DNA sequence: ACTTGTTAGATTGTCGACAATCTGATTGTC
DNA sequence: GACAATCAGATTGTCGACAATCTAACAAGT
Protein backbone atom coordinates (compact mmCIF):
# COMPACT_ATOMS: atom_id res chain seq x y z
CA UNK A 1 0.00 0.00 0.00
CA UNK A 2 1.42 3.35 -1.05
CA UNK A 3 1.75 5.88 1.78
CA UNK A 4 0.21 8.74 -0.16
CA UNK A 5 -1.70 11.25 1.94
CA UNK A 6 -4.70 12.68 0.19
CA UNK A 7 -5.95 16.04 1.33
CA UNK A 8 -9.68 16.43 1.90
CA UNK A 9 -11.52 17.24 -1.31
CA UNK A 10 -12.85 20.73 -1.79
CA UNK A 11 -16.19 21.80 -0.40
CA UNK A 12 -18.66 21.47 -3.19
CA UNK A 13 -21.60 23.36 -1.80
CA UNK A 14 -22.70 26.69 -3.15
CA UNK A 15 -22.78 27.91 0.42
CA UNK A 16 -19.02 27.39 0.87
CA UNK A 17 -18.27 29.24 -2.34
CA UNK A 18 -20.51 32.11 -1.38
CA UNK A 19 -18.78 32.38 1.99
CA UNK A 20 -15.41 32.58 0.26
CA UNK A 21 -16.64 35.16 -2.24
CA UNK A 22 -18.26 37.38 0.36
CA UNK A 23 -15.34 37.12 2.76
CA UNK A 24 -12.93 38.15 0.07
CA UNK A 25 -15.13 41.08 -0.97
CA UNK A 26 -15.28 42.31 2.61
CA UNK A 27 -11.63 41.79 3.49
CA UNK A 28 -10.41 43.55 0.37
CA UNK A 29 -12.71 46.44 1.03
CA UNK A 30 -14.91 45.97 -2.04
CA UNK A 31 -17.76 45.88 0.40
CA UNK A 32 -17.34 48.87 2.65
CA UNK A 33 -17.92 49.00 6.41
CA UNK A 34 -21.51 49.74 7.29
CA UNK A 35 -22.74 48.75 3.86
CA UNK A 36 -25.94 46.77 3.72
CA UNK A 37 -26.05 43.42 1.95
CA UNK A 38 -29.24 43.16 -0.06
CA UNK A 39 -30.07 39.46 -0.25
CA UNK A 40 -32.15 39.58 -3.40
CA UNK A 41 -29.65 41.63 -5.35
CA UNK A 42 -26.64 39.55 -4.32
CA UNK A 43 -28.40 36.24 -4.93
CA UNK A 44 -29.35 37.40 -8.42
CA UNK A 45 -25.81 38.55 -9.15
CA UNK A 46 -24.40 35.22 -8.01
CA UNK A 47 -27.15 33.26 -9.78
CA UNK A 48 -28.02 31.53 -6.56
CA UNK A 49 -31.15 31.34 -4.45
CA UNK A 50 -31.40 33.18 -1.17
CA UNK A 51 -31.22 30.05 1.00
CA UNK A 52 -27.52 29.24 0.62
CA UNK A 53 -26.71 32.95 0.59
CA UNK A 54 -28.45 33.48 3.89
CA UNK A 55 -26.69 30.49 5.41
CA UNK A 56 -23.38 31.87 4.21
CA UNK A 57 -24.20 35.22 5.76
CA UNK A 58 -24.98 33.59 9.11
CA UNK A 59 -21.50 32.09 9.07
CA UNK A 60 -19.88 35.45 8.43
CA UNK A 61 -21.95 37.03 11.17
CA UNK A 62 -20.55 34.48 13.62
CA UNK A 63 -17.11 35.08 12.15
CA UNK A 64 -17.48 38.67 13.24
CA UNK A 65 -17.19 40.57 9.98
CA UNK A 66 -20.92 40.95 9.38
CA UNK A 67 -23.61 42.04 11.78
CA UNK A 68 -27.29 41.27 11.52
CA UNK A 69 -30.38 43.07 12.74
CA UNK A 70 -33.62 41.06 12.46
CA UNK A 71 -35.97 42.35 9.74
CA UNK A 72 -33.60 45.22 9.04
CA UNK A 73 -30.67 43.62 7.27
CA UNK A 74 -27.14 42.35 7.43
CA UNK A 75 -24.28 44.83 7.32
CA UNK A 76 -20.52 44.89 7.07
CA UNK A 77 -19.19 45.72 10.53
CA UNK A 78 -18.25 49.29 11.26
CA UNK A 79 -14.66 49.93 12.23
CA UNK A 80 -13.98 52.13 15.21
CA UNK A 81 -10.65 53.17 16.67
CA UNK A 82 -11.50 51.18 19.78
CA UNK A 83 -12.10 48.01 17.77
CA UNK A 84 -8.63 48.27 16.34
CA UNK A 85 -7.05 48.95 19.72
CA UNK A 86 -8.91 46.02 21.23
CA UNK A 87 -7.96 43.64 18.45
CA UNK A 88 -4.32 44.63 18.62
CA UNK A 89 -3.94 44.44 22.35
CA UNK A 90 -5.42 40.95 22.31
CA UNK A 91 -3.20 40.07 19.39
CA UNK A 92 -0.12 40.97 21.41
CA UNK A 93 -1.07 38.60 24.19
CA UNK A 94 -1.85 35.81 21.76
CA UNK A 95 1.41 36.35 19.89
CA UNK A 96 3.41 35.89 23.05
CA UNK A 97 1.54 32.72 23.85
CA UNK A 98 1.85 31.36 20.31
CA UNK A 99 5.60 31.96 20.25
CA UNK A 100 5.99 30.28 23.62
CA UNK A 101 4.15 27.18 22.42
CA UNK A 102 5.74 27.06 19.00
CA UNK A 103 9.28 27.56 20.28
CA UNK A 104 10.09 23.97 21.31
CA UNK A 105 8.33 22.59 18.24
CA UNK A 106 10.41 24.41 15.65
CA UNK A 107 12.15 22.10 13.20
CA UNK A 108 13.49 22.19 9.66
CA UNK A 109 10.01 22.06 8.17
CA UNK A 110 9.07 25.08 10.25
CA UNK A 111 12.07 27.07 9.06
CA UNK A 112 11.42 26.10 5.44
CA UNK A 113 7.79 27.16 5.68
CA UNK A 114 8.84 30.38 7.37
CA UNK A 115 11.16 31.18 4.47
CA UNK A 116 8.52 30.23 1.93
CA UNK A 117 5.95 32.60 3.41
CA UNK A 118 8.53 35.31 3.86
CA UNK A 119 9.39 34.99 0.20
CA UNK A 120 5.71 35.31 -0.71
CA UNK A 121 5.50 38.61 1.15
CA UNK A 122 8.57 39.95 -0.58
CA UNK A 123 7.20 38.94 -3.95
CA UNK A 124 3.86 40.65 -3.34
CA UNK A 125 5.76 43.73 -2.18
CA UNK A 126 7.86 43.81 -5.33
CA UNK A 127 4.74 43.38 -7.44
CA UNK A 128 3.12 46.27 -5.52
CA UNK A 129 0.05 44.11 -5.00
CA UNK A 130 -1.12 45.64 -1.74
CA UNK A 131 -4.03 43.29 -1.18
CA UNK A 132 -1.82 40.27 -1.62
CA UNK A 133 0.85 41.88 0.51
CA UNK A 134 -1.53 42.12 3.45
CA UNK A 135 -2.68 38.57 2.88
CA UNK A 136 0.80 37.09 2.73
CA UNK A 137 2.06 39.14 5.69
CA UNK A 138 -0.76 37.78 7.81
CA UNK A 139 -0.02 34.27 6.60
CA UNK A 140 3.61 34.70 7.57
CA UNK A 141 2.51 35.94 10.93
CA UNK A 142 0.05 33.08 11.27
CA UNK A 143 2.67 30.36 11.04
CA UNK A 144 3.42 30.50 14.76
CA UNK A 145 -0.25 29.87 15.37
CA UNK A 146 -0.44 26.93 13.02
CA UNK A 147 2.66 25.47 14.62
CA UNK A 148 1.64 26.02 18.22
CA UNK A 149 -0.38 22.80 18.20
CA UNK A 150 -3.40 24.33 19.89
CA UNK A 151 -6.58 24.18 17.83
CA UNK A 152 -8.50 26.64 19.98
CA UNK A 153 -5.70 29.17 19.75
CA UNK A 154 -5.57 28.74 16.00
CA UNK A 155 -9.30 29.30 15.62
CA UNK A 156 -9.10 32.40 17.77
CA UNK A 157 -6.28 33.75 15.66
CA UNK A 158 -8.15 33.09 12.45
CA UNK A 159 -11.14 35.03 13.71
CA UNK A 160 -8.89 37.87 14.71
CA UNK A 161 -7.10 37.73 11.37
CA UNK A 162 -10.29 38.42 9.47
CA UNK A 163 -10.64 41.69 11.26
CA UNK A 164 -6.99 42.63 11.11
CA UNK A 165 -7.00 42.02 7.38
CA UNK A 166 -10.06 44.20 7.01
CA UNK A 167 -8.50 46.99 9.04
CA UNK A 168 -5.30 46.87 7.04
CA UNK A 169 -7.16 46.84 3.75
CA UNK A 170 -9.13 49.91 4.78
CA UNK A 171 -5.95 51.61 5.81
CA UNK A 172 -4.17 50.80 2.58
CA UNK A 173 -7.13 51.95 0.55
CA UNK A 174 -7.33 55.24 2.39
CA UNK A 175 -3.75 56.29 1.97
CA UNK A 176 -2.70 56.49 -1.61
CA UNK A 177 0.99 56.26 -0.85
CA UNK A 178 2.89 53.30 -2.17
CA UNK A 179 3.57 50.43 0.19
CA UNK A 180 6.90 50.51 2.04
CA UNK A 181 9.44 48.79 -0.11
CA UNK A 182 11.91 47.70 2.55
CA UNK A 183 11.30 44.43 4.25
CA UNK A 184 10.00 44.89 7.76
CA UNK A 185 9.77 41.16 8.43
CA UNK A 186 13.48 40.41 8.12
CA UNK A 187 14.15 40.77 11.83
CA UNK A 188 11.03 38.86 12.80
CA UNK A 189 12.00 35.86 10.73
CA UNK A 190 15.59 35.95 11.98
CA UNK A 191 14.48 36.03 15.60
CA UNK A 192 12.11 33.09 15.10
CA UNK A 193 15.07 31.13 13.80
CA UNK A 194 17.31 32.19 16.68
CA UNK A 195 17.77 31.03 20.25
CA UNK A 196 16.30 33.84 22.31
CA UNK A 197 12.58 33.29 22.77
CA UNK A 198 12.08 36.37 24.93
CA UNK A 199 13.67 38.52 22.25
CA UNK A 200 11.31 37.09 19.64
CA UNK A 201 8.32 37.79 21.86
CA UNK A 202 9.51 41.31 22.55
CA UNK A 203 10.03 42.01 18.86
CA UNK A 204 6.61 40.67 17.92
CA UNK A 205 5.15 43.09 20.40
CA UNK A 206 7.19 46.07 19.24
CA UNK A 207 6.83 45.33 15.57
CA UNK A 208 3.10 45.24 15.88
CA UNK A 209 3.13 48.44 17.83
CA UNK A 210 4.86 50.10 14.92
CA UNK A 211 2.24 49.33 12.29
CA UNK A 212 -0.37 49.91 14.90
CA UNK A 213 0.40 53.58 15.37
CA UNK A 214 -0.24 54.30 11.74
CA UNK A 215 -3.38 52.19 11.61
CA UNK A 216 -4.74 53.80 14.73
CA UNK A 217 -4.23 57.27 13.33
CA UNK A 218 -6.33 56.23 10.38
CA UNK A 219 -9.01 54.79 12.64
CA UNK A 220 -9.18 58.06 14.55
CA UNK A 221 -9.64 59.96 11.31
CA UNK A 222 -12.55 57.65 10.53
CA UNK A 223 -14.15 58.45 13.87
CA UNK A 224 -14.04 62.17 13.23
CA UNK A 225 -15.62 61.92 9.84
CA UNK A 226 -18.80 60.50 11.31
CA UNK B 1 -35.67 63.65 29.10
CA UNK B 2 -35.43 60.81 31.57
CA UNK B 3 -32.10 59.00 31.59
CA UNK B 4 -33.63 55.55 31.48
CA UNK B 5 -31.56 52.89 29.72
CA UNK B 6 -33.68 50.44 27.79
CA UNK B 7 -32.21 47.04 27.07
CA UNK B 8 -32.53 45.73 23.53
CA UNK B 9 -35.81 43.95 22.92
CA UNK B 10 -35.76 40.20 22.50
CA UNK B 11 -34.90 38.63 19.17
CA UNK B 12 -38.16 37.71 17.55
CA UNK B 13 -36.95 35.36 14.87
CA UNK B 14 -37.46 31.63 15.02
CA UNK B 15 -33.82 31.28 14.13
CA UNK B 16 -32.67 32.98 17.33
CA UNK B 17 -34.89 30.78 19.45
CA UNK B 18 -33.68 27.67 17.71
CA UNK B 19 -30.08 28.69 18.32
CA UNK B 20 -30.82 29.14 22.02
CA UNK B 21 -32.63 25.80 22.25
CA UNK B 22 -29.96 23.85 20.45
CA UNK B 23 -27.12 25.51 22.33
CA UNK B 24 -28.72 24.68 25.62
CA UNK B 25 -29.31 21.07 24.58
CA UNK B 26 -25.67 20.71 23.61
CA UNK B 27 -24.15 22.50 26.59
CA UNK B 28 -26.20 20.53 29.08
CA UNK B 29 -25.25 17.31 27.39
CA UNK B 30 -28.75 16.38 26.23
CA UNK B 31 -27.22 16.13 22.81
CA UNK B 32 -24.13 14.00 23.18
CA UNK B 33 -20.77 14.56 21.49
CA UNK B 34 -20.57 12.97 18.08
CA UNK B 35 -24.32 12.76 17.76
CA UNK B 36 -25.82 13.60 14.41
CA UNK B 37 -28.52 16.24 14.11
CA UNK B 38 -31.22 15.07 11.73
CA UNK B 39 -32.71 18.20 10.20
CA UNK B 40 -36.08 16.78 9.27
CA UNK B 41 -36.66 15.18 12.65
CA UNK B 42 -35.61 18.25 14.64
CA UNK B 43 -37.60 20.64 12.46
CA UNK B 44 -40.70 18.51 12.94
CA UNK B 45 -40.18 18.33 16.68
CA UNK B 46 -39.79 22.09 16.89
CA UNK B 47 -42.68 22.68 14.47
CA UNK B 48 -40.44 24.78 12.28
CA UNK B 49 -39.30 24.50 8.70
CA UNK B 50 -35.78 23.45 7.85
CA UNK B 51 -34.67 26.89 6.63
CA UNK B 52 -34.37 28.65 10.01
CA UNK B 53 -33.10 25.44 11.58
CA UNK B 54 -30.30 25.17 9.07
CA UNK B 55 -29.38 28.81 9.54
CA UNK B 56 -29.27 28.27 13.29
CA UNK B 57 -27.03 25.26 12.80
CA UNK B 58 -24.62 27.29 10.67
CA UNK B 59 -24.28 29.73 13.55
CA UNK B 60 -23.47 26.97 16.00
CA UNK B 61 -20.96 25.49 13.61
CA UNK B 62 -19.15 28.83 13.54
CA UNK B 63 -19.50 28.98 17.30
CA UNK B 64 -17.48 25.81 17.44
CA UNK B 65 -19.85 23.39 19.15
CA UNK B 66 -21.19 21.77 15.97
CA UNK B 67 -19.27 20.49 13.00
CA UNK B 68 -20.63 20.04 9.50
CA UNK B 69 -19.69 17.71 6.68
CA UNK B 70 -21.35 18.53 3.33
CA UNK B 71 -24.01 16.04 2.30
CA UNK B 72 -23.21 13.92 5.35
CA UNK B 73 -24.64 15.87 8.23
CA UNK B 74 -24.03 18.16 11.17
CA UNK B 75 -22.70 16.69 14.39
CA UNK B 76 -22.03 17.73 17.96
CA UNK B 77 -18.26 18.15 18.30
CA UNK B 78 -16.28 15.30 19.78
CA UNK B 79 -14.35 16.08 22.92
CA UNK B 80 -10.76 14.92 23.14
CA UNK B 81 -8.32 15.32 26.00
CA UNK B 82 -6.25 17.60 23.80
CA UNK B 83 -9.21 19.90 23.14
CA UNK B 84 -9.64 20.39 26.85
CA UNK B 85 -5.94 21.00 27.42
CA UNK B 86 -5.88 23.49 24.57
CA UNK B 87 -8.93 25.35 25.78
CA UNK B 88 -7.62 25.58 29.30
CA UNK B 89 -4.15 26.73 28.44
CA UNK B 90 -5.60 29.50 26.32
CA UNK B 91 -8.04 30.33 29.06
CA UNK B 92 -5.17 30.88 31.48
CA UNK B 93 -3.55 33.42 29.19
CA UNK B 94 -6.83 35.21 28.60
CA UNK B 95 -7.63 35.29 32.31
CA UNK B 96 -4.37 37.04 33.08
CA UNK B 97 -5.05 39.58 30.37
CA UNK B 98 -8.64 40.13 31.46
CA UNK B 99 -7.64 40.72 35.07
CA UNK B 100 -4.95 43.14 33.99
CA UNK B 101 -7.42 45.18 31.98
CA UNK B 102 -10.24 45.00 34.46
CA UNK B 103 -8.09 45.91 37.45
CA UNK B 104 -8.03 49.71 37.04
CA UNK B 105 -11.71 49.76 36.05
CA UNK B 106 -13.05 48.12 39.19
CA UNK B 107 -15.61 50.22 41.02
CA UNK B 108 -18.54 49.75 43.36
CA UNK B 109 -20.77 48.47 40.60
CA UNK B 110 -18.14 45.85 39.79
CA UNK B 111 -17.95 44.66 43.37
CA UNK B 112 -21.73 44.53 43.66
CA UNK B 113 -22.05 42.52 40.49
CA UNK B 114 -19.25 40.23 41.68
CA UNK B 115 -21.16 39.53 44.88
CA UNK B 116 -24.41 39.02 43.02
CA UNK B 117 -22.92 36.39 40.75
CA UNK B 118 -21.08 34.77 43.61
CA UNK B 119 -24.35 34.48 45.45
CA UNK B 120 -25.96 32.87 42.41
CA UNK B 121 -23.29 30.17 42.40
CA UNK B 122 -23.76 29.49 46.09
CA UNK B 123 -27.48 29.23 45.63
CA UNK B 124 -27.18 26.77 42.74
CA UNK B 125 -24.73 24.75 44.84
CA UNK B 126 -27.13 24.62 47.77
CA UNK B 127 -29.93 23.55 45.43
CA UNK B 128 -27.64 20.84 44.03
CA UNK B 129 -28.55 22.02 40.52
CA UNK B 130 -25.34 20.99 38.77
CA UNK B 131 -26.23 22.42 35.38
CA UNK B 132 -27.05 25.77 36.88
CA UNK B 133 -23.95 25.59 39.05
CA UNK B 134 -21.72 25.31 36.00
CA UNK B 135 -23.61 28.11 34.31
CA UNK B 136 -23.38 30.50 37.23
CA UNK B 137 -19.75 29.67 37.95
CA UNK B 138 -18.84 30.55 34.37
CA UNK B 139 -20.87 33.74 34.64
CA UNK B 140 -18.98 34.67 37.78
CA UNK B 141 -15.77 33.96 36.01
CA UNK B 142 -16.90 35.94 32.96
CA UNK B 143 -17.32 39.20 34.84
CA UNK B 144 -13.66 40.12 34.42
CA UNK B 145 -14.15 39.74 30.69
CA UNK B 146 -17.26 41.88 30.58
CA UNK B 147 -15.51 44.53 32.63
CA UNK B 148 -12.25 44.52 30.68
CA UNK B 149 -13.71 46.90 28.10
CA UNK B 150 -12.39 44.94 25.14
CA UNK B 151 -15.08 43.65 22.83
CA UNK B 152 -12.81 41.28 20.94
CA UNK B 153 -11.60 39.74 24.16
CA UNK B 154 -15.17 39.32 25.35
CA UNK B 155 -16.22 37.58 22.15
CA UNK B 156 -13.25 35.27 22.38
CA UNK B 157 -14.13 34.38 25.93
CA UNK B 158 -17.73 33.70 25.04
CA UNK B 159 -16.69 31.29 22.34
CA UNK B 160 -14.37 29.57 24.75
CA UNK B 161 -17.08 29.46 27.40
CA UNK B 162 -19.36 27.42 25.19
CA UNK B 163 -16.79 24.70 25.08
CA UNK B 164 -15.80 24.91 28.70
CA UNK B 165 -19.42 24.62 29.71
CA UNK B 166 -19.82 21.58 27.50
CA UNK B 167 -16.73 19.95 28.95
CA UNK B 168 -17.86 20.58 32.50
CA UNK B 169 -21.33 19.28 31.78
CA UNK B 170 -19.91 16.08 30.35
CA UNK B 171 -17.70 15.73 33.35
CA UNK B 172 -20.50 16.27 35.82
CA UNK B 173 -22.73 13.84 34.00
CA UNK B 174 -20.06 11.17 34.00
CA UNK B 175 -19.28 11.20 37.66
CA UNK B 176 -22.26 10.52 39.81
CA UNK B 177 -20.73 12.02 42.93
CA UNK B 178 -22.41 15.03 44.44
CA UNK B 179 -20.97 18.43 43.66
CA UNK B 180 -18.47 19.83 46.18
CA UNK B 181 -20.40 21.72 48.78
CA UNK B 182 -17.69 24.08 49.98
CA UNK B 183 -17.26 27.28 48.12
CA UNK B 184 -14.17 27.26 45.95
CA UNK B 185 -14.77 30.78 44.66
CA UNK B 186 -14.42 32.54 48.01
CA UNK B 187 -10.72 33.27 47.58
CA UNK B 188 -11.14 34.29 43.96
CA UNK B 189 -13.75 36.90 44.81
CA UNK B 190 -11.74 38.19 47.77
CA UNK B 191 -8.62 38.61 45.65
CA UNK B 192 -10.53 40.47 42.94
CA UNK B 193 -11.64 42.91 45.60
CA UNK B 194 -8.11 43.26 47.02
CA UNK B 195 -5.08 45.28 46.06
CA UNK B 196 -2.66 42.71 44.73
CA UNK B 197 -3.29 42.19 41.04
CA UNK B 198 -0.48 39.69 40.61
CA UNK B 199 -1.93 37.57 43.39
CA UNK B 200 -5.31 37.57 41.70
CA UNK B 201 -3.76 36.52 38.42
CA UNK B 202 -1.77 33.79 40.11
CA UNK B 203 -4.83 32.46 41.88
CA UNK B 204 -6.91 32.45 38.72
CA UNK B 205 -4.25 30.32 37.16
CA UNK B 206 -3.93 27.92 40.06
CA UNK B 207 -7.61 27.67 40.72
CA UNK B 208 -8.24 26.69 37.18
CA UNK B 209 -5.44 24.19 37.30
CA UNK B 210 -7.21 22.50 40.17
CA UNK B 211 -10.48 21.83 38.39
CA UNK B 212 -8.53 21.09 35.31
CA UNK B 213 -6.79 18.03 36.70
CA UNK B 214 -10.06 16.34 37.40
CA UNK B 215 -11.57 17.30 34.08
CA UNK B 216 -8.52 16.12 32.21
CA UNK B 217 -8.60 12.73 33.92
CA UNK B 218 -12.14 12.37 32.67
CA UNK B 219 -11.15 13.39 29.17
CA UNK B 220 -8.41 10.77 29.15
CA UNK B 221 -10.91 8.12 30.16
CA UNK B 222 -13.03 9.15 27.21
CA UNK B 223 -10.09 8.70 24.89
CA UNK B 224 -9.48 5.16 26.02
CA UNK B 225 -13.07 4.12 25.53
CA UNK B 226 -12.84 4.77 21.82
C1' DA C 1 -14.41 -15.04 -0.45
C1' DC C 2 -13.52 -10.63 -2.40
C1' DT C 3 -14.24 -6.96 -5.22
C1' DT C 4 -17.23 -4.17 -8.34
C1' DG C 5 -21.91 -2.33 -10.09
C1' DT C 6 -26.41 -1.29 -9.19
C1' DT C 7 -30.26 0.35 -6.89
C1' DA C 8 -33.54 2.07 -3.29
C1' DG C 9 -34.03 4.81 0.58
C1' DA C 10 -32.83 8.46 3.41
C1' DT C 11 -30.76 12.95 4.10
C1' DT C 12 -28.76 17.18 2.82
C1' DG C 13 -28.59 21.18 -0.47
C1' DT C 14 -31.21 24.39 -3.23
C1' DC C 15 -35.11 26.68 -5.17
C1' DG C 16 -39.23 29.73 -5.83
C1' DA C 17 -43.23 31.51 -3.49
C1' DC C 18 -45.59 33.40 0.44
C1' DA C 19 -45.93 35.74 5.12
C1' DA C 20 -44.23 39.06 8.45
C1' DT C 21 -42.00 43.20 9.22
C1' DC C 22 -39.89 47.59 8.37
C1' DT C 23 -39.40 52.25 6.01
C1' DG C 24 -40.77 56.35 4.22
C1' DA C 25 -44.13 58.82 1.68
C1' DT C 26 -48.85 60.45 1.82
C1' DT C 27 -52.90 61.87 3.74
C1' DG C 28 -55.78 63.85 7.11
C1' DT C 29 -56.43 66.42 11.36
C1' DC C 30 -55.53 69.95 14.76
C1' DG D 1 -46.97 73.98 9.86
C1' DA D 2 -46.66 70.04 13.09
C1' DC D 3 -48.10 65.70 14.20
C1' DA D 4 -50.37 61.17 14.01
C1' DA D 5 -52.59 57.54 11.12
C1' DT D 6 -52.46 55.02 7.05
C1' DC D 7 -50.78 52.79 3.18
C1' DA D 8 -47.62 51.03 -0.59
C1' DG D 9 -43.26 49.29 -1.65
C1' DA D 10 -39.27 46.94 -0.54
C1' DT D 11 -36.82 43.61 2.23
C1' DT D 12 -36.25 39.98 5.43
C1' DG D 13 -38.05 35.61 7.52
C1' DT D 14 -40.25 31.23 6.70
C1' DC D 15 -42.29 27.50 4.23
C1' DG D 16 -43.00 23.32 1.32
C1' DA D 17 -41.25 20.93 -2.68
C1' DC D 18 -37.63 19.35 -5.71
C1' DA D 19 -32.69 18.17 -6.95
C1' DA D 20 -28.19 16.38 -5.70
C1' DT D 21 -25.69 13.41 -2.96
C1' DC D 22 -24.61 9.85 0.26
C1' DT D 23 -25.20 5.16 2.51
C1' DA D 24 -26.05 0.58 2.82
C1' DA D 25 -27.91 -3.50 1.00
C1' DC D 26 -27.91 -6.58 -2.64
C1' DA D 27 -26.50 -8.76 -7.10
C1' DA D 28 -23.02 -10.19 -10.33
C1' DG D 29 -18.65 -11.28 -11.87
C1' DT D 30 -13.82 -13.03 -10.94
Amino acid sequence: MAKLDFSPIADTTRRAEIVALLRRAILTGQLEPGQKLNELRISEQMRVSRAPLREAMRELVQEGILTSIPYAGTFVIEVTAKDIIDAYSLNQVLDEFAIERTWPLRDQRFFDELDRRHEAVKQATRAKDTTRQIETALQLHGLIYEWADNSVLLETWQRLTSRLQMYFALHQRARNEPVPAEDVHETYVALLKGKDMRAAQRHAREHIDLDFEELLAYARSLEKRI
Side-chain angles (χ1 to χ4, degrees), chain A:
Chain A
M1 183 74 95
K3 284 196 288 186
L4 178 55
D5 285 353
F6 285 106
S7 56
I9 64 167
D11 289 343
T12 50
T13 59
R14 298 196 199 288
R15 183 181 69 239
E17 294 206 31
I18 297 170
V19 166
L21 268 175
L22 282 181
R23 186 189 288 120
R24 186 155 192 86
I26 295 166
L27 297 190
T28 60
Q30 293 175 294
L31 283 168
E32 290 175 16
Q35 191 171 339
K36 179 174 175 177
L37 278 69
N38 185 310
E39 297 178 2
L40 194 59
R41 202 162 49 76
I42 294 178
S43 69
E44 280 169 357
Q45 285 176 358
M46 291 189 180
R47 305 287 179 81
V48 162
S49 83
R50 281 174 57 222
L53 172 63
R54 283 173 58 86
E55 289 182 18
M57 284 163 71
R58 284 318 136 230
E59 289 193 22
L60 295 175
V61 166
Q62 278 320 91
E63 201 173 306
I65 59 180
L66 289 182
T67 177
S68 160
I69 303 172
Y71 290 107
T74 305
F75 309 81
V76 179
I77 57 164
E78 299 274 5
V79 173
T80 68
K82 184 141 193 348
D83 286 335
I84 296 180
I85 296 173
D86 289 355
Y88 263 105
S89 59
L90 178 59
N91 188 66
Q92 288 179 346
V93 173
L94 294 181
D95 265 10
E96 246 178 85
F97 182 53
I99 290 177
E100 182 189 314
R101 291 309 167 107
T102 295
W103 203 257
L105 301 175
R106 295 172 307 157
D107 56 10
Q108 194 52 49
R109 275 182 52 238
F110 175 80
F111 296 132
D112 291 346
E113 186 63 21
L114 196 63
D115 286 333
R116 207 185 61 72
R117 297 192 185 193
H118 188 191
E119 196 54 49
V121 179
K122 287 194 272 193
Q123 193 182 324
T125 305
R126 280 194 302 272
K128 301 207 189 296
D129 183 343
T130 55
T131 301
R132 177 126 192 82
Q133 193 186 7
I134 295 167
E135 220 175 86
T136 51
L138 283 170
Q139 274 165 9
L140 169 62
H141 201 76
L143 184 59
I144 55 174
Y145 287 90
E146 292 173 30
W147 223 263
D149 189 36
N150 183 323
S151 57
V152 187
L153 174 63
L154 181 58
E155 272 175 50
T156 304
W157 157 249
Q158 283 167 343
R159 281 175 59 80
L160 203 52
T161 297
S162 290
R163 299 189 180 203
L164 295 180
Q165 189 169 347
M166 187 173 159
Y167 299 160
F168 272 118
L170 283 173
H171 179 209
Q172 292 278 22
R173 270 190 150 225
R175 68 165 191 193
N176 290 327
E177 309 164 28
V179 188
E182 2 89 56
D183 184 0
V184 289
H185 304 289
E186 206 73 56
T187 319
Y188 176 72
V189 170
L191 280 169
L192 278 183
K193 289 182 177 176
K195 300 204 167 180
D196 188 347
M197 186 179 85
R198 294 283 169 210
Q201 289 179 319
R202 221 176 306 123
H203 177 268
R205 189 156 220 154
E206 285 161 7
H207 168 57
I208 278 175
D209 274 347
L210 227 63
D211 285 12
F212 174 51
E213 289 300 336
E214 217 179 334
L215 189 55
L216 182 56
Y218 168 64
R220 290 234 172 79
S221 75
L222 276 179
E223 299 282 274
K224 281 173 191 159
R225 246 199 280 149
I226 295 171

